[in-house]
Amino acid sequence: MKLQTLAVHAGDRKKPGDFIPVTTPIYAASSFFYERTEDLDDVFSGEKSGQSYARFGNPTVAAVEEQVAALEGAEVCIATSSGMGAIQLALLAALTDRRKSIVAADALYGATIRVLTEMPALAGVETAFCDVCDLERLDAVTAKARPAAIYVETISNPLMRVPALDRIAEIAHSHDALLIVDSTFTTPVLARPLALGADIVVHSATKYLAGHGDALGGFFLAGGEHRETAEMLHHTLGYNLGAFAAYFIMRGVKTLPLRMRKQCRNALQTAAWLERHPAVEKLRFPAADGHPDRETAAALLPDGLFGAMMSFEVKGGKAAAFSVIDRLRMIVPAPSLGDVHTMMLHPATTSHGQMPAAQRERLGIGEAMLRLSVGIEAADDIIGDLEQALP
Ligand SMILES: Cc1ncc(COP(=O)(O)O)c(C=O)c1O
């Protein structure tokens, strides 16, 4: 063979031996074949399980799907290229062959609100937003809207409201609607919404699941009855997670329980300190004194943990909030959350920057608000950095 032919073929396309690698390798291949063409035909037609084309499956992605499904107690797990991909898949799966409306919590991650209100793919779908912690109101809105699904976050971004998932599942089902839960802030370590009656759970794996600020991804998780629709949508729309990100997420999930518990314990200490600081107003943390959902959170979350996310307002408005961010020395002022390092952002100009100002103000996402994602560092160092940064 000529050099250019050898360059393309030599050393490649070997069958793995009888060894077992200690971690699932990154399968960068975008297609797979068999010694007999008939086998590929059987895989394509669904008669035989196996790999064929990476949009339909990839061994690295399948491994992380199996891992996260086990943690969440789900029969179906589909890894997506981002949390937003998982959210769209969940909404489309709920809307397929069902009524064309959604009832959603009024305080959600900014891009989720955008998907629910503006996405052309959802044209013709009406969304009614309401306070999902007010169960009577939610019941009335659901009765009127007759939605395909109710959509909530376990701990809402950035207001840290905690809806009663079991009660909301009852309301949804009594109106023949599904319950979709974004459990990004809780992960399966703090909550398993499927066991509480939710029908579909979504995650931004970019956050706690990956946990190290190095991968973008999401998960759609559900019971077996949603497999056919979800897989049909997934295989045709192509929101696939790549093999490299799948590997990073799988590695991250191995330490998720350890990280999450440490982050929650650090958050309890940090919140107790912030609560007493004279420049801090309106600390929003589910364990804080006077938090409207403290009891619901205590019932939902295990072992006296209340999550590792909080937000608060600084006296002095937007300028004071920006100055705090600029003075940080260790806390990372980047627009994400859930990483091993503590992070701070200004919701009104980042995560909720696309929301009309009037809507933001009405919900209480003010210009003075800062959101803190507590990391795994020593709690003293987190508090020390806040102390020198706050006015
Ligand atoms: C609660 C929540 N859900 C979903 C998302 C979207 O995730 P991704 O950025 O991975 O698409 C985010 C992003 O910040 C989020 O905070």
Side-chain angles (χ1 to χ4, degrees), residues 82-84 87 109 153 157 182 184-185 204 206-207 216-217 337:
S82 68
M84 292 315 299
I87 290 168
Y109 172 54
E153 290 173 355
N157 182 358
D182 180 337
T184 299
F185 277 27
S204 166
T206 318
K207 313 296 192 271
L216 190 73
L337 65 100

Side-chain angles (χ1 to χ4, degrees), residues 175-204:
H175 296 287
D176 189 29
L178 303 180
L179 173 60
I180 305 173
V181 177
D182 180 337
S183 189
T184 299
F185 277 27
T186 35
T187 80
V189 176
L190 298 183
R192 296 170 94 215
L194 294 175
L196 298 172
D199 300 280
I200 300 174
V201 170
V202 292
H203 286 285
S204 166

Side-chain angles (χ1 to χ4, degrees), residues 12-19 35:
D12 217 351
R13 272 160 247 121
K14 300 244 163 126
K15 268 195 173 177
D18 57 0
F19 54 84
E35 278 164 1

Side-chain angles (χ1 to χ4, degrees), residues 76-366:
V76 179
C77 178
I78 295 175
T80 53
S81 52
S82 68
M84 292 315 299
I87 290 168
Q88 287 177 52
L89 190 58
L91 291 170
L92 289 173
L95 289 162
T96 302
D97 298 331
R98 295 177 70 87
R99 298 175 300 253
K100 301 297 173 231
S101 93
I102 298 281
V103 169
D106 51 2
L108 294 166
Y109 172 54
T112 306
I113 296 182
R114 262 196 116 175
V115 167
L116 288 162
T117 47
E118 291 175 31
M119 266 292 292
L122 298 177
V125 173
E126 290 205 10
T127 303
F129 292 98
C130 84
D131 175 358
V132 293
C133 294
D134 178 344
L135 296 175
E136 250 175 64
R137 170 111 189 95
L138 175 65
D139 192 35
V141 171
T142 308
K144 187 159 174 240
R146 298 183 35 74
I150 296 180
Y151 186 99
V152 305
E153 290 173 355
T154 46
I155 300 180
S156 76
N157 182 358
L159 295 170
M160 313 302 155
R161 296 298 309 267
V162 185
L165 297 182
D166 50 351
R167 305 277 306 281
I168 295 178
E170 278 169 26
I171 293 174
H173 298 155
S174 74
H175 296 287
D176 189 29
L178 303 180
L179 173 60
I180 305 173
V181 177
D182 180 337
S183 189
T184 299
F185 277 27
T186 35
T187 80
V189 176
L190 298 183
R192 296 170 94 215
L194 294 175
L196 298 172
D199 300 280
I200 300 174
V201 170
V202 292
H203 286 285
S204 166
T206 318
K207 313 296 192 271
Y208 291 103
L209 299 183
H212 297 74
D214 52 12
L216 190 73
F219 287 99
F220 166 104
L221 297 124
E225 67 276 23
H226 298 286
R227 183 185 303 279
E228 202 181 327
T229 303
E231 286 186 353
M232 178 275 288
L233 289 167
H234 177 60
H235 291 171
T236 46
L237 295 174
Y239 297 126
N240 301 66
L241 181 68
F244 288 84
Y247 184 88
F248 281 131
I249 295 168
M250 187 162 189
R251 184 164 68 170
V253 170
K254 288 177 199 287
T255 56
L256 174 71
L258 299 173
R259 287 186 280 112
M260 196 83 216
R261 286 178 176 273
K262 170 70 172 155
Q263 285 172 274
C264 291
R265 288 198 300 273
N266 277 352
L268 284 165
Q269 269 179 266
T270 308
W273 182 85
L274 280 171
E275 212 163 19
R276 294 192 302 270
H277 196 284
V280 170
E281 287 181 322
K282 278 201 205 146
L283 173 71
R284 295 176 200 268
F285 180 60
D289 270 350
H291 189 285
D293 313 315
R294 199 178 190 289
E295 266 179 44
T296 310
L300 174 72
L301 308 170
D303 308 329
L305 304 175
F306 284 85
M309 295 295 302
M310 63 193 72
S311 54
F312 56 92
E313 288 177 19
V314 196
K315 281 184 191 153
K318 183 177 175 181
F322 273 29
S323 302
V324 172
I325 295 179
D326 289 342
R327 278 195 293 268
L328 293 171
R329 290 187 192 145
M330 178 201 80
I331 296 171
V332 183
S336 191
L337 65 100
D339 288 340
V340 284
H341 39 262
T342 301
M343 306 179 87
M344 184 183 278
L345 65 67
H346 182 250
T349 51
T350 58
S351 59
H352 292 72
Q354 310 288 340
M355 193 184 261
Q359 192 183 353
R360 255 197 331 261
E361 288 297 328
R362 185 176 56 74
L363 289 172
I365 306 170

Side-chain angles (χ1 to χ4, degrees), residues 30 32 40 43-45 50-59 61-62 65 78 231-238 240:
S30 55
F32 306 84
L40 184 61
V43 171
F44 260 111
S45 65
Q51 301 296 340
S52 56
Y53 183 60
R55 203 176 69 247
F56 307 141
N58 168 291
V61 176
E65 286 173 340
I78 295 175
E231 286 186 353
M232 178 275 288
L233 289 167
H234 177 60
H235 291 171
T236 46
L237 295 174
N240 301 66

